[in-house]
């Protein structure tokens, strides 16, 4: 039996609800590749320009010596920043919206079906215990994933959904659906299934 502390879960700050945005990771990669091809720079490394003091500015020593380049280079840089911002606008295909507290209860209910148990006797140091067969699996990564930020890959979505179905007893699942959290369980499982089938990726925000 494995166990881990629940660090990073339920730390949404003042934001009281969670949005899981589902999008096509292939389209995101295409936009990143086009950006790199156009500017010979990864969009994630755009901030490196500032570190090397090459952002066009009249205060930059190079442009102080060569002011004739400033206007044109400034336009190019502004265009690059706009293109980089567009990359971060995810093409949302589907989404799941739920309160943080409800999402915690949802994962707790689902976890009970496959041997993942939330231990909350010490509210300052909650832990999850789980069957050894779940160690280092996509399904366990789902239960350990922070609920306020970060991505969950299309591979992990597909594998975790598959593993959940294989481990979950159908009768016990139906009993859960007939209980207090039945509506949330049903809606999330449908969302999980669709994202798995369409090979989408999640962004927690």
């Amino acid at each position: 039996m494995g166990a881990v502390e629940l660090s990073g879960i339920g730390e949404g700050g003042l934001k009281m609800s969670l949005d899981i945005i589902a999008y096509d990771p292939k389209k995101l990669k295409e936009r990143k590749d086009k950006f790199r091809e156009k500017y010979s720079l990864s969009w994630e490394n755009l901030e490196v320009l500032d570190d090397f003091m090459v952002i066009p500015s009249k205060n930059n020593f190079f442009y102080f010596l060569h002011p004739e380049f400033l206007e044109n280079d400034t336009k190019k840089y502004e265009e690059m920043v706009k293109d980089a911002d567009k990359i971060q606008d995810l093409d949302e295909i589907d989404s799941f919206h739920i309160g943080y507290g409800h999402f915690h209860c949802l994962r707790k209910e689902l976890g009970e079906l496959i041997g993942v148990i939330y231990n909350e006797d010490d509210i300052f140091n909650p832990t999850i215990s789980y069957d050894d067969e779940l160690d280092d699996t996509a399904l366990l990564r789902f239960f350990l994933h922070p609920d306020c930020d970060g991505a969950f890959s299309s591979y992990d979505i597909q594998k975790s959904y598959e593993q959940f179905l294989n481990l979950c007893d159908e009768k016990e699942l139906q009993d859960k659906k007939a209980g207090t959290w039945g509506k949330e369980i049903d809606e999330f499982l449908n969302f999980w299934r669709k994202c798995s089938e369409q090979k989408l990726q999640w962004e927690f925000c």
Side-chain angles (χ1 to χ4, degrees):
M1 176 72 73
V4 294
E5 291 187 1
L6 294 179
S7 60
I9 295 180
E11 297 179 354
L14 295 177
K15 189 170 181 289
M16 300 303 293
S17 61
L18 164 70
D19 289 305
I20 303 178
I21 307 300
Y23 61 95
D24 186 345
K26 290 182 179 179
K27 290 184 178 180
L28 178 61
K29 184 179 183 302
E30 287 174 1
R31 292 203 300 272
K32 289 182 178 181
D33 289 345
K34 287 181 180 178
F35 184 90
R36 184 189 295 273
E37 181 180 343
K38 183 177 181 179
Y39 298 108
S40 299
L41 177 75
S42 167
W43 78 276
E44 293 96 338
N45 293 331
L46 185 59
E47 61 186 23
V48 173
L49 290 176
D50 194 23
D51 296 334
F52 286 95
M53 300 178 64
V54 294
I55 293 179
S57 168
K58 63 181 180 181
N59 297 321
N60 182 285
F61 187 66
F62 172 80
Y63 293 105
F64 177 77
L65 296 177
H66 304 281
E68 67 273 17
F69 296 117
L70 179 59
E71 181 178 358
N72 187 57
D73 287 359
T74 297
K75 289 181 180 179
K76 288 182 178 179
Y77 177 76
E78 290 175 347
E79 178 186 4
M80 183 164 54
V81 171
K82 287 181 180 178
D83 284 350
D85 289 340
K86 290 178 182 177
I87 288 176
Q88 299 178 70
D89 294 334
L90 302 176
D91 295 325
E92 180 179 324
I93 295 177
D94 201 351
S95 64
F96 183 77
H97 179 80
I98 191 171
Y100 279 119
H102 285 196
F103 187 61
H104 173 73
C105 291
L106 170 63
R107 285 204 285 193
K108 188 175 181 180
E109 291 285 307
L110 294 175
E112 290 175 358
L113 294 169
I114 48 93
V116 173
I117 306 301
Y118 285 68
N119 307 307
E120 299 170 315
D121 293 337
D122 183 349
I123 61 172
F124 297 106
N125 294 291
T127 62
I128 280 182
S129 58
Y130 52 89
D131 293 339
D132 290 339
E133 65 179 316
L134 290 172
D135 195 31
D136 196 28
T137 62
L139 185 54
L140 182 60
R141 287 193 289 276
F142 164 73
F143 286 100
L144 296 178
H145 196 285
D147 59 10
C148 50
D149 60 22
F152 201 59
S153 72
S154 58
Y155 171 84
D156 276 349
I157 291 171
Q158 293 173 66
K159 291 300 295 184
S160 60
Y161 183 69
E162 176 186 316
Q163 290 161 358
F164 178 80
L165 292 182
N166 288 338
L167 291 173
C168 179
D169 179 87
E170 182 62 29
K171 184 179 183 307
E172 292 181 358
L173 175 58
Q174 293 308 316
D175 289 342
K176 287 284 189 184
K177 287 185 176 182
T180 304
W181 297 99
K183 180 175 179 291
E184 288 82 358
I185 290 173
D186 193 53
E187 290 178 351
F188 182 74
L189 288 180
N190 283 330
F191 174 70
W192 202 355
R193 173 184 56 79
K194 291 178 183 177
C195 293
S196 175
E197 292 173 349
Q198 297 179 48
K199 298 181 180 180
L200 304 181
Q201 183 162 304
W202 290 344
E203 187 75 23
F204 287 70
C205 52

